[in-house]
Amino acid sequence: MEQLVRTARPNKPFDPAYDPNRAANPGEGKDYAPTYWIATAGPPPVDDGPVLKDIDVDVAIVGSGYTGLSCAIHLAKEHGIKATVLEANGVAWGCSTRNGGQAQISAGRLKRSQWIERWGVDVARKVHVEISEAFDLFRDLIRSPEIACDPQDGGHLYIAHRNKVMPSLQAESRVLNDVFGYRTRILGRDEIHRDFVRDNEAVGALYEPDGMGIHAAKLAFGYLTLARKLGARVHTSSPVLDCDQKGGVFHLRTPGGIVRARAVCFATAGYTSPGLHSLTKHRLMPILSNSIVTRVLTDEERSALNFKTHIPLTDTRTLRHYYRLLPDGRVQIGSRSAITGRDAVNPKHLDRLLEGLYRKFPVLKGIKVDYSWWGWVDVSHDMMPRIFRPDPKQALFYAMGYGGNGVMYSAQAGRRMAQMVAGKGGALDLPIFTSPLPSHGLLTPFRRIGQWGMYRWYYLRDEIL
């Protein structure tokens, strides 16, 4: 008989200063970040509780966010493999319950024109097919009765915040239409204000027909329910303290016991600790992102803003704002934040985000904020994700590096990693499957100094020059 363990409430407080570049691991049994998603999702579904003894498993997945749970789902559905998922805290404690709930037809930070510059037209077209297939998979997955994530489908608006960015936005639309056969269109300010929202900064926008808002925690909890229904085990409060291979078997040490596995999948994203494994060490640059959710708008405020859409909205700043109207009538907005965990609590970061909200929607100046949080984003050094087996001698795999665009693509990334684990990934020949996450090498200790300088350059370029 299947063991049912009601998820225990975390017994350790949330750490607002947690920093994956400094902490040995994400902790054990810590409370969730105080997000709107956790506050409104209801209680987490049943999981399997912490590891309490040494166990032998077929496949161990480290990380119970979207990617890890999707991997477990697809291992079971497509390959008949029942995985064991190990989570340091509560299910989907990291990126998957701290994001903006925006599913876009992208993965990583690069635009289609940049794909062409990097890989050439033929490879770029194949990557576009992969991303399009991923959105189809995501749509199909969330139709599962277990996943009630409040989807608001209807497209995505990439909104120009200054006139000077319109030529590049128009050029990108032409590339999408002419090279990839993807039907985008350019909107003017009046059309945005009339048909979507009265964003005071908007001078134009690129409309993509694929885009969706979802409830981030309900999506994760739905994945959990489906994974366990298919036979996966999900152990919470079980951080992996180290991972060694002995005699062809991986030994993952947790506080409650050793998990021995023939294959290991890392799905730890922006919460990947430097000491987790040598093959993932410093392969990502964790970046903090802030997010807030306002109180419910009044009828007068909604009328003044002419908010007619719930689709994802992002602006053209390098450190972009992502925002939308939630189904219950609140506005959510997020953007990049502090550089270090220690500085995350500094109120200046909240103030800057509020300034961004007020620039777009002056009528909301002074509005009460009901929820405010931050989380770490898994940005790769070349701005694209990887689903990869870094050492052909080890059955060790990872999927991460989405750069803030993982809500949708993580479903496909988990599926692709499952294919690799099952020995059926031979046809996956795109660069995101055939090369490792790059490292900054000797520059690693200085990355945050560089980040500090780049943030200031981005501000000058986006707002002043």
Side-chain angles (χ1 to χ4, degrees):
M1 180 181 293
E2 181 184 16
Q3 178 190 10
L4 293 181
V5 178
R6 174 60 59 183
T7 303
R9 287 298 304 164
N11 56 20
K12 297 178 183 176
F14 168 67
D15 179 8
Y18 166 79
D19 191 326
N21 276 356
R22 295 181 177 274
N25 58 67
E28 178 188 352
K30 288 185 179 179
D31 202 355
Y32 287 98
T35 71
Y36 166 81
W37 312 120
I38 290 297
T40 58
V46 167
D47 62 42
D48 293 284
V51 172
L52 298 176
K53 62 180 180 179
D54 293 356
I55 57 175
D56 295 289
V57 305
D58 195 9
V59 178
I61 300 171
V62 185
S64 71
Y66 301 149
T67 302
L69 293 174
S70 172
C71 184
I73 289 167
H74 289 99
L75 279 170
K77 285 177 66 174
E78 299 182 352
H79 309 291
I81 298 171
K82 296 180 180 180
T84 296
V85 181
L86 303 174
E87 168 59 51
N89 299 294
V91 168
W93 176 83
C95 303
S96 297
T97 52
R98 307 193 198 193
N99 61 77
Q102 295 194 1
Q104 300 173 20
I105 189 160
S106 56
R109 298 287 295 170
L110 300 186
K111 298 178 290 188
R112 286 351 184 235
S113 58
Q114 293 171 308
W115 294 358
I116 295 171
E117 292 173 6
R118 179 170 296 183
W119 299 312
V121 171
D122 291 343
V123 172
R125 282 177 172 151
K126 291 179 181 178
V127 176
H128 177 77
V129 170
E130 165 71 10
I131 303 302
S132 298
E133 180 182 325
F135 212 110
D136 291 340
L137 173 76
F138 180 74
R139 279 198 178 101
D140 183 64
L141 188 59
I142 66 172
R143 292 188 186 105
S144 304
E146 297 81 7
I147 306 174
C149 63
D150 304 339
Q152 300 98 51
D153 210 340
H156 166 243
L157 275 188
Y158 193 30
I159 296 177
H161 73 290
R162 295 180 69 183
N163 282 309
K164 74 169 189 174
V165 301
M166 281 303 297
S168 63
L169 207 59
Q170 292 163 342
E172 197 66 27
S173 180
R174 289 193 294 270
V175 168
L176 283 159
N177 292 351
D178 299 341
V179 178
F180 297 96
Y182 185 67
R183 296 294 98 190
T184 67
R185 61 191 179 96
I186 294 294
L187 311 180
R189 177 181 174 90
D190 290 345
E191 189 174 0
I192 297 168
H193 284 192
R194 183 189 70 227
D195 297 336
F196 294 92
V197 61
R198 193 168 290 120
D199 181 336
N200 193 57
E201 286 191 313
V203 297
L206 185 156
Y207 173 78
E208 297 173 329
D210 292 295
M212 185 189 308
I214 54 90
H215 190 294
K218 289 182 180 179
L219 177 65
F221 293 168
Y223 281 2
L224 168 63
T225 301
L226 180 57
R228 293 190 73 253
K229 181 178 180 180
L230 292 169
R233 294 281 185 176
V234 181
H235 290 289
T236 52
S237 296
S238 300
V240 174
L241 306 177
D242 52 59
C243 174
D244 298 313
Q245 191 177 29
K246 302 175 183 178
V249 176
F250 290 97
H251 290 235
L252 295 88
R253 183 170 62 91
T254 76
I258 304 294
V259 179
R260 294 179 291 264
R262 71 164 185 87
V264 172
C265 300
F266 288 122
T268 44
Y271 295 80
T272 305
S273 303
L276 182 62
H277 197 280
S278 60
L279 292 174
T280 60
K281 186 175 184 179
H282 297 314
R283 293 286 173 168
L284 294 169
M285 181 62 183
I287 301 293
L288 268 177
S289 186
N290 267 24
S291 195
I292 59 173
V293 171
T294 70
R295 61 156 170 76
V296 176
L297 300 188
T298 65
D299 291 341
E300 292 77 12
E301 288 165 342
R302 281 193 69 163
S303 177
L305 297 177
N306 200 37
F307 241 127
K308 293 184 175 180
T309 184
H310 292 280
I311 67 172
L313 312 169
T314 55
D315 67 22
T316 47
R317 291 175 169 86
T318 308
L319 303 180
R320 66 190 181 192
H321 290 91
Y322 50 93
Y323 49 112
R324 64 185 173 108
L325 180 68
L326 298 174
D328 63 0
R330 304 171 187 268
V331 172
Q332 177 272 331
I333 185 169
S335 188
R336 296 300 174 254
S337 180
I339 291 176
T340 67
R342 286 196 310 269
D343 192 44
V345 297
N346 192 323
K348 70 181 183 182
H349 305 297
L350 173 59
D351 291 341
R352 287 174 182 167
L353 187 53
L354 287 169
E355 289 169 8
L357 175 69
Y358 302 156
R359 284 196 303 267
K360 296 178 184 304
F361 309 121
V363 72
L364 299 184
K365 189 167 185 178
I367 191 172
K368 183 177 182 292
V369 171
D370 283 348
Y371 302 93
S372 174
W373 70 91
W374 48 87
W376 293 93
V377 178
D378 56 328
V379 179
S380 70
H381 295 304
D382 69 351
M383 303 296 174
M384 288 298 289
R386 295 296 193 285
I387 304 90
F388 188 60
R389 181 179 184 171
D391 182 353
K393 297 179 182 178
Q394 298 188 55
L396 184 150
F397 310 82
Y398 57 65
M400 54 185 82
Y402 310 119
N405 283 320
V407 171
M408 179 281 293
Y409 188 70
S410 55
Q412 177 83 330
R415 177 172 176 254
R416 294 306 192 200
M417 187 158 60
Q419 287 177 253
M420 293 179 181
V421 171
K424 298 179 181 178
L428 301 177
D429 59 356
L430 297 175
I432 60 175
F433 305 129
T434 59
S435 63
L437 286 164
S439 168
H440 270 180
L442 295 175
L443 295 177
T444 297
F446 309 103
R447 291 180 301 167
R448 284 187 164 169
I449 297 174
Q451 183 185 356
W452 181 89
M454 291 304 294
Y455 274 19
R456 277 142 188 82
W457 164 240
Y458 294 153
Y459 176 79
L460 284 173
R461 185 176 63 184
D462 290 339
E463 311 294 350
I464 308 297
L465 301 180

